[in-house]
Amino acid sequence: MSTGGRPRVLLMHPILDPGPAILAEAAEVLAYPPNRPLDEASIRQAAEGCVGIVSQLMDPIRETVLSTPGLKCVSNVAVGFDNVDVAAATSHKVMVTNTPGVLDDSTADFAFTLLMATARRIVEADSFTRSGRFRGWAIDMMLGQDIFGATLGIVGVGRIGRGVAHRAKGFNMRVLYYDPQPLPREAEEQLGATRVDLGRLIAESDFISIHVPLTQETHHLFSTQQFNQMKRNAVLVNTSRGPVVDEAALVEALKGRKLAGAGLDVYEREPAVHPGLTPMPNVVLAPHIASATVRTRSEMSAMAARNMATAVRGGRPPNLVNPEVKK
Ligand code: DGY
């Protein structure tokens, strides 16, 4: 459990300053061996004797890991925690924490970046220009979709979804949203957002941006049926979790021109990308970097480290996702 009385924490991957110093003040920090696979059995082996694990979204933290004797806390350096089996953690009285709030603006910025890059074909245009194919202005060259005044459908109107709606105001967009939980009337008015059912959102939106957590209910929320209902000029943006979109169905829909394009930061089998997507010029692909700004990733690191330090010291971490474990 400890060496010389110091509790041990397993750090699955390096984090940014000031995270390491915060952790080191509270515990002896063991780094996960860089070449060891990220499977449950290997993580369990490395976690033996540790009271805490600082994990990231690619780490499968499930029953095998969570049943490690003496484990008290898993601090995930992400707002999403679908890589952690929270029910199993709760049953083993292991606290699970995440990093909400600090990444909302960076992620909303990036959703808008993907929306604009896809609508205005910026990646395609860049490679066209770099490769010397620009031989002069042409009236029909690289025609894209208008953003200003278009209809934006936001699926999931938590903090990040609201951030996207906020940005859409500057583009005079008509904003529809779908969320089982309605926004308070004042928030709807302030954001100029109208709640609709998912079918209507899909049928009326020129842009659809997904901001839901991955759960059983949201797995493949977008599949063939939804793509068939989309406007042919529509662009889909996903910065949430890959499995919310049925990637094979998306490839088929794009091939069948059921929608105009997609801007994706996340993938169903990350880090693998469906091979059908990579040759498509109307798809913009990013490597899960929506929260990747210097400020945000430092704040996520600090927040995750503080969550762990508090747990190690016997306290109740501020960002506990299973509060029933620690009253
Ligand atoms: C998260 O935090 O869940 C993002 O996917 C990575 O920042």
Side-chain angles (χ1 to χ4, degrees):
M1 219 70 25
S2 62
T3 309
R6 293 206 86 202
R8 282 183 173 172
V9 165
L10 177 65
L11 181 63
M12 291 297 300
H13 312 271
I15 55 175
L16 301 186
D17 288 337
I22 297 170
L23 279 181
E25 253 185 47
E28 182 191 347
V29 181
L30 308 184
Y32 192 73
N35 297 324
R36 194 178 287 191
L38 291 178
D39 59 72
E40 286 192 70
S42 307
I43 300 174
R44 160 79 189 233
Q45 208 186 7
E48 292 290 344
C50 293
V51 297
I53 303 176
V54 179
S55 57
Q56 297 190 14
L57 53 88
M58 55 287 200
D59 305 327
I61 308 290
R62 311 205 185 279
E63 175 66 29
T64 308
V65 178
L66 292 162
S67 56
T68 307
L71 187 67
K72 285 198 173 66
C73 180
V74 171
S75 170
N76 213 39
V77 194
V79 65
F81 46 86
D82 46 279
N83 59 308
V84 182
D85 182 341
V86 177
T90 304
S91 77
H92 289 288
K93 301 204 168 8
V94 174
M95 294 178 268
V96 179
T97 64
N98 68 341
T99 62
V102 291
L103 48 79
D104 301 345
D105 281 325
S106 315
T107 305
D109 281 352
F110 197 74
F112 230 89
T113 305
L114 279 179
L115 182 157
M116 296 185 75
T118 312
R120 297 305 305 272
R121 305 173 61 176
I122 196 70
V123 175
E124 207 186 336
D126 178 86
S127 99
F128 180 83
T129 310
R130 272 173 208 274
S131 64
R133 282 175 285 159
F134 178 33
R135 301 268 157 72
W137 190 88
I139 194 114
D140 59 349
M141 188 166 64
M142 298 259 158
L143 304 182
Q145 311 292 333
D146 277 312
I147 300 163
F148 193 84
T151 298
L152 170 65
I154 298 178
V155 180
V157 80
R159 289 179 307 266
I160 299 170
R162 290 200 298 276
V164 173
H166 192 185
R167 284 152 181 77
K169 282 184 87 172
F171 283 82
N172 196 30
M173 295 177 97
R174 170 179 174 242
V175 177
L176 304 177
Y177 77 93
Y178 165 72
D179 197 304
Q181 190 66 38
L183 286 172
R185 178 63 56 84
E186 316 79 71
E188 284 189 348
E189 278 167 13
Q190 199 211 345
L191 293 169
T194 305
R195 184 169 179 243
V196 293
D197 62 35
L198 186 59
R200 182 168 159 209
L201 179 143
I202 291 170
E204 293 186 17
S205 297
D206 302 303
F207 298 93
I208 297 177
S209 193
I210 305 177
H211 301 285
V212 292
L214 175 62
T215 62
Q216 275 175 4
E217 289 73 41
T218 63
H219 182 265
H220 284 190
L221 188 63
F222 278 79
S223 191
T224 307
Q225 189 194 336
Q226 289 67 36
F227 297 132
N228 285 339
Q229 292 166 354
M230 283 174 79
K231 285 182 164 180
R232 298 295 160 117
N233 69 330
V235 166
L236 180 73
V237 172
N238 189 12
T239 53
S240 64
R241 283 293 183 266
V244 175
V245 172
D246 178 346
E247 237 168 53
L250 174 63
V251 168
E252 286 313 306
L254 286 162
K255 280 186 187 156
R257 301 190 186 283
K258 305 281 182 193
L259 67 163
L264 305 174
D265 187 43
V266 288
Y267 305 91
E268 206 172 343
R269 287 170 199 83
E270 234 167 273
V273 176
H274 192 293
L277 290 171
T278 40
M280 289 182 174
N282 52 340
V283 170
V284 175
L285 304 173
H288 205 148
I289 54 167
S291 67
T293 67
V294 176
R295 180 196 62 82
T296 295
R297 289 285 168 87
S298 301
E299 287 189 13
M300 288 167 68
S301 298
M303 193 176 218
R306 278 195 298 270
N307 283 332
M308 181 55 78
T310 305
V312 165
R313 292 183 177 121
R316 189 172 197 268
N319 309 109
L320 198 51
V321 305
N322 55 349
E324 59 274 41
V325 170
K326 185 93 179 167
K327 298 283 181 213

